[in-house]
Short mmCIF file of all heavy atoms in Angstrom, two decimals:
data_model
loop_
_atom_site.label_atom_id
_atom_site.label_comp_id
_atom_site.label_asym_id
_atom_site.label_seq_id
_atom_site.Cartn_x
_atom_site.Cartn_y
_atom_site.Cartn_z
N MET T 1 0.85 -1.22 -0.03
CA MET T 1 -0.04 -0.01 0.00
C MET T 1 0.90 1.20 0.05
O MET T 1 1.91 1.28 0.70
CB MET T 1 -0.87 -0.03 1.17
CG MET T 1 -1.81 1.18 1.13
SD MET T 1 -2.96 1.19 2.58
CE MET T 1 -4.02 -0.20 2.18
N THR T 2 0.50 2.18 -0.75
CA THR T 2 1.23 3.53 -0.77
C THR T 2 1.14 4.25 0.42
O THR T 2 0.16 4.08 1.19
CB THR T 2 0.78 4.30 -2.00
OG1 THR T 2 -0.61 4.77 -1.72
CG2 THR T 2 0.81 3.54 -3.27
N GLY T 3 1.99 5.25 0.55
CA GLY T 3 1.91 6.13 1.82
C GLY T 3 0.60 6.94 1.77
O GLY T 3 -0.03 7.11 2.77
N ALA T 4 0.26 7.35 0.61
CA ALA T 4 -1.27 7.97 0.51
C ALA T 4 -2.42 7.14 0.98
O ALA T 4 -3.25 7.42 1.61
CB ALA T 4 -1.39 8.47 -0.87
N GLY T 5 -2.25 5.89 0.53
CA GLY T 5 -3.37 4.90 0.95
C GLY T 5 -3.31 4.57 2.55
O GLY T 5 -4.40 4.54 3.05
N ARG T 6 -2.06 4.53 3.08
CA ARG T 6 -2.10 4.33 4.61
C ARG T 6 -2.63 5.55 5.18
O ARG T 6 -3.42 5.42 6.25
CB ARG T 6 -0.53 4.07 4.97
CG ARG T 6 -0.26 2.70 4.64
CD ARG T 6 1.12 2.38 5.28
NE ARG T 6 2.17 3.08 4.53
CZ ARG T 6 2.91 2.69 3.49
NH1 ARG T 6 2.54 1.63 2.94
NH2 ARG T 6 3.89 3.44 2.97
N ARG T 7 -2.34 6.81 4.71
CA ARG T 7 -2.81 8.01 5.35
C ARG T 7 -4.38 7.99 5.17
O ARG T 7 -5.09 8.44 6.21
CB ARG T 7 -2.12 9.16 4.71
CG ARG T 7 -0.78 9.44 5.17
CD ARG T 7 -0.19 10.75 4.80
NE ARG T 7 -0.09 10.87 3.40
CZ ARG T 7 0.94 10.40 2.52
NH1 ARG T 7 1.91 9.73 3.26
NH2 ARG T 7 0.90 10.60 1.23
N ARG T 8 -4.91 7.70 4.02
CA ARG T 8 -6.35 7.71 3.81
C ARG T 8 -7.01 6.66 4.87
O ARG T 8 -8.04 6.91 5.43
CB ARG T 8 -6.61 7.26 2.43
CG ARG T 8 -8.12 6.89 2.15
CD ARG T 8 -8.94 8.13 1.75
NE ARG T 8 -10.28 7.62 1.45
CZ ARG T 8 -11.30 7.79 2.22
NH1 ARG T 8 -11.25 8.24 3.43
NH2 ARG T 8 -12.46 7.27 1.79
N ARG T 9 -6.35 5.41 4.92
CA ARG T 9 -6.93 4.42 5.79
C ARG T 9 -6.93 4.98 7.30
O ARG T 9 -7.96 4.86 7.92
CB ARG T 9 -6.23 3.24 5.68
CG ARG T 9 -6.65 2.00 6.59
CD ARG T 9 -5.87 0.77 6.31
NE ARG T 9 -4.54 1.02 6.61
CZ ARG T 9 -3.49 0.26 6.24
NH1 ARG T 9 -3.74 -0.81 5.56
NH2 ARG T 9 -2.30 0.52 6.62
N GLU T 10 -5.88 5.67 7.71
CA GLU T 10 -5.76 6.12 9.14
C GLU T 10 -6.87 7.18 9.33
O GLU T 10 -7.37 7.31 10.38
CB GLU T 10 -4.41 6.60 9.44
CG GLU T 10 -3.45 5.41 9.73
CD GLU T 10 -3.82 4.54 10.87
OE1 GLU T 10 -4.21 4.94 11.97
OE2 GLU T 10 -3.88 3.24 10.70
N SER T 11 -7.00 8.08 8.24
CA SER T 11 -8.03 9.01 8.29
C SER T 11 -9.43 8.46 8.61
O SER T 11 -10.15 9.01 9.39
CB SER T 11 -7.93 9.91 7.03
OG SER T 11 -9.01 10.86 7.06
N VAL T 12 -9.75 7.58 7.88
CA VAL T 12 -11.14 6.87 7.97
C VAL T 12 -11.20 6.22 9.45
O VAL T 12 -12.26 6.42 10.14
CB VAL T 12 -11.25 5.78 6.89
CG1 VAL T 12 -12.56 4.97 7.19
CG2 VAL T 12 -11.34 6.44 5.48
N ARG T 13 -10.16 5.67 9.97
CA ARG T 13 -10.28 5.04 11.29
C ARG T 13 -10.40 6.19 12.33
O ARG T 13 -11.09 5.91 13.33
CB ARG T 13 -8.97 4.27 11.53
CG ARG T 13 -8.87 2.97 10.82
CD ARG T 13 -7.63 2.16 11.13
NE ARG T 13 -7.46 0.97 10.36
CZ ARG T 13 -6.39 0.28 10.26
NH1 ARG T 13 -5.28 0.87 10.73
NH2 ARG T 13 -6.33 -0.67 9.52
N THR T 14 -9.76 7.34 12.15
CA THR T 14 -9.86 8.29 13.15
C THR T 14 -11.27 8.87 12.96
O THR T 14 -11.92 9.16 14.00
CB THR T 14 -8.89 9.59 12.80
OG1 THR T 14 -7.55 8.90 12.85
CG2 THR T 14 -9.07 10.68 13.63
N GLN T 15 -11.84 9.04 11.77
CA GLN T 15 -13.26 9.48 11.73
C GLN T 15 -14.12 8.50 12.31
O GLN T 15 -15.09 8.81 13.14
CB GLN T 15 -13.65 9.57 10.18
CG GLN T 15 -12.95 10.69 9.52
CD GLN T 15 -13.25 10.69 8.04
OE1 GLN T 15 -14.47 10.56 7.70
NE2 GLN T 15 -12.33 10.79 7.22
N ALA T 16 -13.94 7.23 12.28
CA ALA T 16 -14.75 6.10 12.87
C ALA T 16 -14.65 6.31 14.42
O ALA T 16 -15.73 6.21 15.11
CB ALA T 16 -14.25 4.75 12.48
N ALA T 17 -13.48 6.55 14.90
CA ALA T 17 -13.40 6.72 16.43
C ALA T 17 -14.13 7.92 16.97
O ALA T 17 -14.79 7.85 17.95
CB ALA T 17 -11.76 6.89 16.77
N GLU T 18 -14.11 8.98 16.09
CA GLU T 18 -14.94 10.19 16.56
C GLU T 18 -16.41 9.85 16.43
O GLU T 18 -17.00 10.29 17.40
CB GLU T 18 -14.57 11.31 15.46
CG GLU T 18 -13.19 11.77 15.74
CD GLU T 18 -12.79 12.82 14.55
OE1 GLU T 18 -13.50 13.00 13.60
OE2 GLU T 18 -11.56 13.17 14.71
N LEU T 19 -16.81 9.09 15.53
CA LEU T 19 -18.31 8.62 15.48
C LEU T 19 -18.60 7.67 16.68
O LEU T 19 -19.68 7.83 17.32
CB LEU T 19 -18.56 8.02 14.13
CG LEU T 19 -18.49 8.92 12.91
CD1 LEU T 19 -18.66 8.17 11.60
CD2 LEU T 19 -19.58 10.06 13.04
N PHE T 20 -17.72 6.85 16.91
CA PHE T 20 -17.96 6.04 18.20
C PHE T 20 -18.10 6.82 19.45
O PHE T 20 -18.90 6.51 20.34
CB PHE T 20 -16.81 4.94 18.36
CG PHE T 20 -16.74 3.98 17.19
CD1 PHE T 20 -15.52 3.57 16.69
CD2 PHE T 20 -17.87 3.45 16.42
CE1 PHE T 20 -15.39 2.59 15.57
CE2 PHE T 20 -17.83 2.59 15.59
CZ PHE T 20 -16.64 2.15 15.06
N GLU T 21 -17.26 7.86 19.55
CA GLU T 21 -17.30 8.86 20.73
C GLU T 21 -18.69 9.50 20.86
O GLU T 21 -19.12 9.74 21.88
CB GLU T 21 -16.16 9.78 20.67
CG GLU T 21 -14.85 9.17 20.98
CD GLU T 21 -13.62 10.07 20.70
OE1 GLU T 21 -13.85 11.29 20.21
OE2 GLU T 21 -12.52 9.68 20.97
N GLN T 22 -19.38 9.66 19.66
CA GLN T 22 -20.60 10.22 19.61
C GLN T 22 -21.76 9.21 19.75
O GLN T 22 -22.90 9.49 19.55
CB GLN T 22 -20.79 10.92 18.30
CG GLN T 22 -19.94 12.15 18.19
CD GLN T 22 -19.98 12.79 16.63
OE1 GLN T 22 -20.97 12.54 16.01
NE2 GLN T 22 -18.88 13.31 16.29
N GLU T 23 -21.32 8.04 20.13
CA GLU T 23 -22.19 6.94 20.36
C GLU T 23 -22.98 6.33 19.09
O GLU T 23 -23.93 5.81 19.15
CB GLU T 23 -23.19 7.15 21.36
CG GLU T 23 -22.49 7.51 22.82
CD GLU T 23 -23.40 7.65 23.91
OE1 GLU T 23 -24.64 7.52 23.79
OE2 GLU T 23 -22.97 8.05 24.95
N ASP T 24 -22.29 6.56 17.82
CA ASP T 24 -22.87 5.93 16.72
C ASP T 24 -22.56 4.37 16.77
O ASP T 24 -21.52 4.04 17.21
CB ASP T 24 -22.19 6.54 15.44
CG ASP T 24 -22.76 7.95 15.11
OD1 ASP T 24 -23.62 8.52 15.97
OD2 ASP T 24 -22.41 8.54 14.06
N LYS T 25 -23.46 3.72 16.21
CA LYS T 25 -23.29 2.25 16.08
C LYS T 25 -22.32 1.93 15.05
O LYS T 25 -22.36 2.61 13.95
CB LYS T 25 -24.69 1.59 16.05
CG LYS T 25 -25.55 1.76 17.20
CD LYS T 25 -26.81 1.12 17.07
CE LYS T 25 -27.69 1.42 18.24
NZ LYS T 25 -28.36 0.36 18.89
N PRO T 26 -21.67 0.79 15.07
CA PRO T 26 -20.81 0.37 14.11
C PRO T 26 -21.48 0.15 12.66
O PRO T 26 -20.88 0.69 11.66
CB PRO T 26 -20.25 -1.07 14.57
CG PRO T 26 -20.25 -1.02 16.06
CD PRO T 26 -21.58 -0.07 16.18
N SER T 27 -22.81 -0.23 12.59
CA SER T 27 -23.39 -0.39 11.30
C SER T 27 -23.66 1.06 10.73
O SER T 27 -23.51 1.18 9.47
CB SER T 27 -24.77 -1.05 11.56
OG SER T 27 -25.57 -0.43 12.43
N GLU T 28 -23.89 2.00 11.52
CA GLU T 28 -24.05 3.44 11.11
C GLU T 28 -22.71 4.03 10.58
O GLU T 28 -22.63 4.64 9.63
CB GLU T 28 -24.63 4.28 12.12
CG GLU T 28 -24.80 5.72 11.75
CD GLU T 28 -25.78 5.96 10.65
OE1 GLU T 28 -26.58 5.08 10.24
OE2 GLU T 28 -25.66 7.14 10.05
N VAL T 29 -21.60 3.72 11.35
CA VAL T 29 -20.29 4.06 10.96
C VAL T 29 -19.92 3.54 9.56
O VAL T 29 -19.27 4.34 8.71
CB VAL T 29 -19.24 3.79 12.11
CG1 VAL T 29 -17.82 3.96 11.63
CG2 VAL T 29 -19.55 4.54 13.41
N ALA T 30 -20.14 2.28 9.44
CA ALA T 30 -19.96 1.67 8.18
C ALA T 30 -20.55 2.23 6.98
O ALA T 30 -20.06 2.57 6.00
CB ALA T 30 -20.29 0.18 8.23
N ARG T 31 -21.84 2.61 7.21
CA ARG T 31 -22.71 3.28 6.20
C ARG T 31 -22.16 4.64 5.86
O ARG T 31 -21.92 5.06 4.66
CB ARG T 31 -24.08 3.37 6.59
CG ARG T 31 -25.03 3.88 5.48
CD ARG T 31 -26.48 4.12 5.99
NE ARG T 31 -26.58 5.19 6.96
CZ ARG T 31 -26.47 6.59 6.59
NH1 ARG T 31 -26.31 6.87 5.36
NH2 ARG T 31 -26.48 7.46 7.50
N ARG T 32 -21.90 5.42 6.88
CA ARG T 32 -21.52 6.81 6.65
C ARG T 32 -20.04 6.98 6.07
O ARG T 32 -19.88 7.80 5.30
CB ARG T 32 -21.47 7.53 7.96
CG ARG T 32 -22.88 7.80 8.56
CD ARG T 32 -22.95 8.56 9.80
NE ARG T 32 -22.38 9.88 9.74
CZ ARG T 32 -22.23 10.72 10.80
NH1 ARG T 32 -22.77 10.39 11.98
NH2 ARG T 32 -21.77 11.86 10.59
N LEU T 33 -19.09 5.97 6.44
CA LEU T 33 -17.81 6.02 5.98
C LEU T 33 -17.52 5.17 4.76
O LEU T 33 -16.46 5.23 4.26
CB LEU T 33 -16.77 5.76 7.07
CG LEU T 33 -16.82 6.66 8.38
CD1 LEU T 33 -15.94 6.21 9.36
CD2 LEU T 33 -16.62 8.00 8.00
N ARG T 34 -18.66 4.48 4.38
CA ARG T 34 -18.44 3.69 3.11
C ARG T 34 -17.46 2.54 3.26
O ARG T 34 -16.54 2.34 2.45
CB ARG T 34 -18.35 4.47 1.80
CG ARG T 34 -19.51 5.44 1.78
CD ARG T 34 -19.18 6.20 0.56
NE ARG T 34 -20.27 5.87 -0.34
CZ ARG T 34 -20.34 6.22 -1.63
NH1 ARG T 34 -19.39 7.12 -2.09
NH2 ARG T 34 -21.30 5.90 -2.48
N VAL T 35 -17.48 1.92 4.38
CA VAL T 35 -16.54 0.71 4.71
C VAL T 35 -17.41 -0.51 5.10
O VAL T 35 -18.56 -0.37 5.23
CB VAL T 35 -15.58 1.02 5.93
CG1 VAL T 35 -14.79 2.20 5.59
CG2 VAL T 35 -16.25 1.22 7.17
N SER T 36 -16.78 -1.66 5.01
CA SER T 36 -17.50 -2.87 5.26
C SER T 36 -17.98 -2.86 6.76
O SER T 36 -17.30 -2.36 7.69
CB SER T 36 -16.68 -4.05 5.01
OG SER T 36 -15.67 -4.26 6.03
N PRO T 37 -19.11 -3.42 7.05
CA PRO T 37 -19.54 -3.62 8.43
C PRO T 37 -18.58 -4.31 9.33
O PRO T 37 -18.31 -3.96 10.42
CB PRO T 37 -20.94 -4.33 8.39
CG PRO T 37 -21.42 -4.02 7.06
CD PRO T 37 -20.14 -3.88 6.08
N LYS T 38 -17.92 -5.34 8.71
CA LYS T 38 -16.83 -6.08 9.42
C LYS T 38 -15.75 -5.10 9.93
O LYS T 38 -15.30 -5.33 11.07
CB LYS T 38 -16.27 -7.19 8.49
CG LYS T 38 -15.30 -8.09 9.25
CD LYS T 38 -14.80 -9.16 8.23
CE LYS T 38 -13.78 -10.09 9.00
NZ LYS T 38 -13.39 -11.10 8.16
N SER T 39 -15.27 -4.32 9.10
CA SER T 39 -14.24 -3.32 9.38
C SER T 39 -14.75 -2.48 10.59
O SER T 39 -14.09 -2.29 11.63
CB SER T 39 -13.75 -2.50 8.29
OG SER T 39 -13.08 -3.33 7.35
N ALA T 40 -15.98 -1.82 10.51
CA ALA T 40 -16.56 -0.98 11.39
C ALA T 40 -16.59 -1.77 12.77
O ALA T 40 -16.33 -1.07 13.80
CB ALA T 40 -17.75 -0.41 11.02
N TYR T 41 -17.10 -2.95 12.85
CA TYR T 41 -17.28 -3.67 14.08
C TYR T 41 -15.85 -3.99 14.73
O TYR T 41 -15.64 -3.90 15.92
CB TYR T 41 -18.06 -4.97 13.85
CG TYR T 41 -19.54 -4.72 13.89
CD1 TYR T 41 -20.25 -4.60 12.76
CD2 TYR T 41 -20.24 -4.54 15.11
CE1 TYR T 41 -21.56 -4.32 12.82
CE2 TYR T 41 -21.58 -4.30 15.12
CZ TYR T 41 -22.29 -4.29 13.96
OH TYR T 41 -23.54 -4.04 14.06
N HIS T 42 -14.89 -4.34 13.80
CA HIS T 42 -13.60 -4.60 14.36
C HIS T 42 -12.93 -3.32 14.92
O HIS T 42 -12.42 -3.23 16.08
CB HIS T 42 -12.72 -5.00 13.17
CG HIS T 42 -11.34 -5.40 13.67
ND1 HIS T 42 -10.98 -6.47 14.49
CD2 HIS T 42 -10.11 -4.76 13.51
CE1 HIS T 42 -9.70 -6.47 14.68
NE2 HIS T 42 -9.09 -5.40 14.05
N TRP T 43 -13.09 -2.12 14.19
CA TRP T 43 -12.59 -0.98 14.73
C TRP T 43 -13.25 -0.58 16.10
O TRP T 43 -12.63 0.11 16.96
CB TRP T 43 -12.70 0.25 13.77
CG TRP T 43 -11.98 -0.05 12.50
CD1 TRP T 43 -10.81 -0.79 12.33
CD2 TRP T 43 -12.22 0.64 11.24
NE1 TRP T 43 -10.48 -0.75 11.08
CE2 TRP T 43 -11.23 0.24 10.43
CE3 TRP T 43 -13.16 1.58 10.74
CZ2 TRP T 43 -11.23 0.64 8.98
CZ3 TRP T 43 -13.08 2.09 9.45
CH2 TRP T 43 -12.09 1.48 8.62
N HIS T 44 -14.53 -0.80 16.07
CA HIS T 44 -15.36 -0.57 17.33
C HIS T 44 -14.77 -1.32 18.52
O HIS T 44 -14.66 -0.69 19.65
CB HIS T 44 -16.85 -0.71 17.13
CG HIS T 44 -17.65 -0.35 18.28
ND1 HIS T 44 -18.22 -1.21 19.27
CD2 HIS T 44 -17.90 0.89 18.66
CE1 HIS T 44 -19.00 -0.55 20.01
NE2 HIS T 44 -18.77 0.78 19.80
N GLN T 45 -14.49 -2.53 18.30
CA GLN T 45 -14.00 -3.35 19.34
C GLN T 45 -12.57 -2.79 19.81
O GLN T 45 -12.32 -2.64 20.95
CB GLN T 45 -13.85 -4.87 18.89
CG GLN T 45 -13.12 -5.80 19.79
CD GLN T 45 -12.84 -7.12 19.31
OE1 GLN T 45 -13.22 -7.41 18.26
NE2 GLN T 45 -12.21 -7.91 20.12
N LEU T 46 -11.76 -2.46 18.87
CA LEU T 46 -10.38 -1.94 19.22
C LEU T 46 -10.56 -0.50 20.07
O LEU T 46 -9.96 -0.25 20.95
CB LEU T 46 -9.50 -1.75 18.00
CG LEU T 46 -9.19 -2.87 17.24
CD1 LEU T 46 -8.42 -2.54 15.95
CD2 LEU T 46 -8.23 -3.68 18.07
N TRP T 47 -11.61 0.33 19.59
CA TRP T 47 -11.81 1.51 20.21
C TRP T 47 -12.24 1.37 21.65
O TRP T 47 -11.77 2.09 22.45
CB TRP T 47 -12.88 2.35 19.41
CG TRP T 47 -13.30 3.57 19.95
CD1 TRP T 47 -12.54 4.80 20.02
CD2 TRP T 47 -14.44 3.69 20.83
NE1 TRP T 47 -13.36 5.75 20.69
CE2 TRP T 47 -14.43 5.14 21.22
CE3 TRP T 47 -15.47 2.98 21.28
CZ2 TRP T 47 -15.43 5.70 21.97
CZ3 TRP T 47 -16.48 3.59 21.90
CH2 TRP T 47 -16.54 4.86 22.43
N ARG T 48 -13.21 0.38 21.76
CA ARG T 48 -13.63 0.00 23.28
C ARG T 48 -12.59 -0.34 24.13
O ARG T 48 -12.50 -0.11 25.28
CB ARG T 48 -14.74 -1.07 23.22
CG ARG T 48 -16.10 -0.53 22.84
CD ARG T 48 -17.18 -1.63 22.90
NE ARG T 48 -16.55 -2.82 22.17
CZ ARG T 48 -17.04 -4.00 22.23
NH1 ARG T 48 -18.01 -4.25 23.06
NH2 ARG T 48 -16.63 -4.92 21.49
N GLU T 49 -11.60 -1.12 23.57
CA GLU T 49 -10.51 -1.67 24.42
C GLU T 49 -9.40 -0.56 24.72
O GLU T 49 -8.74 -0.66 25.65
CB GLU T 49 -9.84 -2.82 23.69
CG GLU T 49 -10.69 -4.09 23.51
CD GLU T 49 -10.22 -5.11 22.69
OE1 GLU T 49 -9.04 -4.86 22.06
OE2 GLU T 49 -10.81 -6.10 22.49
N GLY T 50 -9.36 0.41 23.80
CA GLY T 50 -8.17 1.32 24.04
C GLY T 50 -8.53 2.92 23.81
O GLY T 50 -7.70 3.68 23.85
N GLY T 51 -9.88 3.09 23.48
CA GLY T 51 -10.18 4.43 23.24
C GLY T 51 -9.68 4.89 21.88
O GLY T 51 -9.28 4.07 21.09
N HIS T 52 -9.64 6.21 21.66
CA HIS T 52 -9.18 6.69 20.46
C HIS T 52 -7.69 6.93 20.44
O HIS T 52 -7.19 8.01 20.93
CB HIS T 52 -9.89 8.17 20.23
CG HIS T 52 -9.31 8.77 19.02
ND1 HIS T 52 -9.30 8.18 17.66
CD2 HIS T 52 -8.84 10.06 18.83
CE1 HIS T 52 -8.88 9.09 16.84
NE2 HIS T 52 -8.53 10.19 17.44
N ARG T 53 -6.94 6.00 19.88
CA ARG T 53 -5.51 6.09 19.64
C ARG T 53 -5.22 5.59 18.31
O ARG T 53 -5.14 4.35 18.15
CB ARG T 53 -4.78 5.21 20.76
CG ARG T 53 -4.82 5.84 22.13
CD ARG T 53 -3.92 5.05 23.00
NE ARG T 53 -4.04 3.74 22.82
CZ ARG T 53 -4.39 2.89 23.80
NH1 ARG T 53 -4.78 3.32 24.96
NH2 ARG T 53 -4.46 1.54 23.66
N PRO T 54 -5.02 6.35 17.29
CA PRO T 54 -4.60 5.87 16.08
C PRO T 54 -3.45 4.99 16.14
O PRO T 54 -2.52 5.25 16.95
CB PRO T 54 -4.30 7.15 15.16
CG PRO T 54 -4.92 8.24 15.90
CD PRO T 54 -5.05 7.82 17.31
N ARG T 55 -3.46 3.84 15.50
CA ARG T 55 -2.47 2.89 15.47
C ARG T 55 -1.23 3.35 14.77
O ARG T 55 -1.27 3.99 13.73
CB ARG T 55 -2.96 1.61 14.74
CG ARG T 55 -1.86 0.46 14.77
CD ARG T 55 -2.49 -0.60 13.97
NE ARG T 55 -2.75 -0.40 12.52
CZ ARG T 55 -1.71 -0.32 11.59
NH1 ARG T 55 -0.52 -0.64 12.06
NH2 ARG T 55 -2.02 -0.14 10.35
N ALA T 56 0.03 3.14 15.34
CA ALA T 56 1.27 3.43 14.78
C ALA T 56 1.41 2.53 13.53
O ALA T 56 1.06 1.31 13.61
CB ALA T 56 2.38 3.27 15.68
N PRO T 57 1.98 3.16 12.51
CA PRO T 57 2.11 2.22 11.30
C PRO T 57 3.03 1.01 11.54
O PRO T 57 4.09 1.06 12.26
CB PRO T 57 3.02 3.15 10.31
CG PRO T 57 2.69 4.57 10.80
CD PRO T 57 2.53 4.30 12.30
N ALA T 58 2.69 -0.16 10.99
CA ALA T 58 3.36 -1.42 11.25
C ALA T 58 4.55 -1.34 10.22
O ALA T 58 4.47 -0.83 9.17
CB ALA T 58 2.54 -2.55 10.91
N THR T 59 5.73 -1.97 10.76
CA THR T 59 6.89 -2.10 9.96
C THR T 59 6.56 -3.22 8.87
O THR T 59 5.92 -4.17 9.19
CB THR T 59 8.12 -2.56 10.70
OG1 THR T 59 8.30 -1.58 11.64
CG2 THR T 59 9.39 -2.74 9.96
N ARG T 60 6.79 -2.97 7.67
CA ARG T 60 6.64 -3.91 6.60
C ARG T 60 7.07 -5.34 6.91
O ARG T 60 8.16 -5.56 7.44
CB ARG T 60 7.24 -3.55 5.30
CG ARG T 60 6.95 -4.50 4.13
CD ARG T 60 7.49 -3.90 2.91
NE ARG T 60 6.33 -4.00 1.89
CZ ARG T 60 6.36 -3.36 0.77
NH1 ARG T 60 7.25 -2.49 0.52
NH2 ARG T 60 5.35 -3.51 -0.05
N GLY T 61 6.14 -6.34 6.83
CA GLY T 61 6.55 -7.64 7.19
C GLY T 61 6.20 -8.20 8.53
O GLY T 61 6.32 -9.29 8.78
N LEU T 62 5.91 -7.14 9.45
CA LEU T 62 5.50 -7.52 10.82
C LEU T 62 4.08 -7.56 11.06
O LEU T 62 3.44 -6.73 10.41
CB LEU T 62 6.25 -6.69 11.80
CG LEU T 62 7.82 -6.65 11.83
CD1 LEU T 62 8.33 -5.70 12.82
CD2 LEU T 62 8.27 -8.19 12.11
N PHE T 63 3.62 -8.39 11.73
CA PHE T 63 2.08 -8.44 12.07
C PHE T 63 1.73 -7.67 13.34
O PHE T 63 2.45 -7.54 14.29
CB PHE T 63 1.77 -10.00 12.46
CG PHE T 63 0.27 -10.04 12.62
CD1 PHE T 63 -0.51 -10.20 11.57
CD2 PHE T 63 -0.26 -10.06 13.90
CE1 PHE T 63 -2.03 -10.27 11.79
CE2 PHE T 63 -1.64 -10.27 14.00
CZ PHE T 63 -2.45 -10.40 12.97
N CYS T 64 0.81 -6.74 13.17
CA CYS T 64 0.50 -5.67 14.12
C CYS T 64 -0.50 -6.35 15.09
O CYS T 64 -1.62 -6.81 14.63
CB CYS T 64 -0.08 -4.46 13.61
SG CYS T 64 -0.58 -3.20 14.83
N ALA T 65 -0.31 -6.44 16.46
CA ALA T 65 -1.18 -7.09 17.32
C ALA T 65 -2.47 -6.55 17.44
O ALA T 65 -3.49 -7.15 17.60
CB ALA T 65 -0.63 -7.06 18.68
N SER T 66 -2.67 -5.16 17.03
CA SER T 66 -4.05 -4.58 17.09
C SER T 66 -4.89 -5.13 16.07
O SER T 66 -6.10 -4.84 16.08
CB SER T 66 -3.91 -3.10 17.05
OG SER T 66 -3.40 -2.68 15.70
N PHE T 67 -4.44 -5.96 15.01
CA PHE T 67 -5.28 -6.45 14.01
C PHE T 67 -5.61 -7.92 14.09
O PHE T 67 -6.20 -8.50 13.22
CB PHE T 67 -4.57 -6.30 12.63
CG PHE T 67 -4.71 -4.73 12.23
CD1 PHE T 67 -3.69 -3.81 12.36
CD2 PHE T 67 -5.96 -4.26 11.72
CE1 PHE T 67 -3.88 -2.52 12.09
CE2 PHE T 67 -6.11 -3.10 11.32
CZ PHE T 67 -4.99 -2.15 11.45
N ARG T 68 -5.22 -8.50 15.32
CA ARG T 68 -5.56 -9.92 15.45
C ARG T 68 -7.03 -10.11 15.70
O ARG T 68 -7.62 -9.36 16.43
CB ARG T 68 -4.83 -10.38 16.66
CG ARG T 68 -3.38 -10.58 16.58
CD ARG T 68 -2.80 -11.41 17.63
NE ARG T 68 -1.31 -11.50 17.37
CZ ARG T 68 -0.36 -11.24 18.26
NH1 ARG T 68 -0.77 -10.92 19.48
NH2 ARG T 68 0.83 -11.27 17.91
N VAL T 69 -7.52 -11.04 14.92
CA VAL T 69 -9.04 -11.17 15.08
C VAL T 69 -9.34 -12.38 16.01
O VAL T 69 -8.66 -13.39 15.87
CB VAL T 69 -9.56 -11.59 13.66
CG1 VAL T 69 -11.09 -11.92 13.73
CG2 VAL T 69 -9.22 -10.53 12.63
N ALA T 70 -10.14 -12.12 17.02
CA ALA T 70 -10.41 -13.07 17.98
C ALA T 70 -11.24 -14.23 17.38
O ALA T 70 -11.98 -14.13 16.47
CB ALA T 70 -11.17 -12.38 19.10
#
């Protein structure tokens, strides 16, 4: 993924966190941000566990623990 793509993805995640803070449901966040419901529910789970903290970029080739699916 390009640097611009990573910045765009982080921007959408930040917007999602802001919507979660406003008590929007993941399904509504998915609709408003035009992302999959699965992504929105996953981001919501991460947000509940740690609040609004954008994830630091992962080093290429390393798995980021914040993306482990339970």
Side-chain angles (χ1 to χ4, degrees):
M1 181 177 292
T2 66
R6 283 188 291 275
R7 286 188 296 277
R8 166 89 174 103
R9 182 178 57 199
E10 285 302 314
S11 173
V12 172
R13 287 182 184 157
T14 299
Q15 291 174 50
E18 291 167 358
L19 293 171
F20 296 143
E21 289 171 358
Q22 296 172 22
E23 300 184 6
D24 283 8
K25 296 181 185 225
S27 58
E28 176 65 14
V29 170
R31 187 188 66 75
R32 289 178 64 180
L33 298 181
R34 303 178 109 187
V35 300
S36 72
K38 182 178 178 178
S39 291
Y41 277 95
H42 182 72
W43 296 341
H44 186 251
Q45 178 184 355
L46 294 173
W47 175 80
R48 280 184 307 164
E49 292 171 357
H52 174 55
R53 285 192 315 247
R55 181 184 64 80
T59 302
R60 181 175 228 155
L62 296 179
F63 185 79
C64 179
S66 67
F67 284 100
R68 289 192 181 129
V69 178

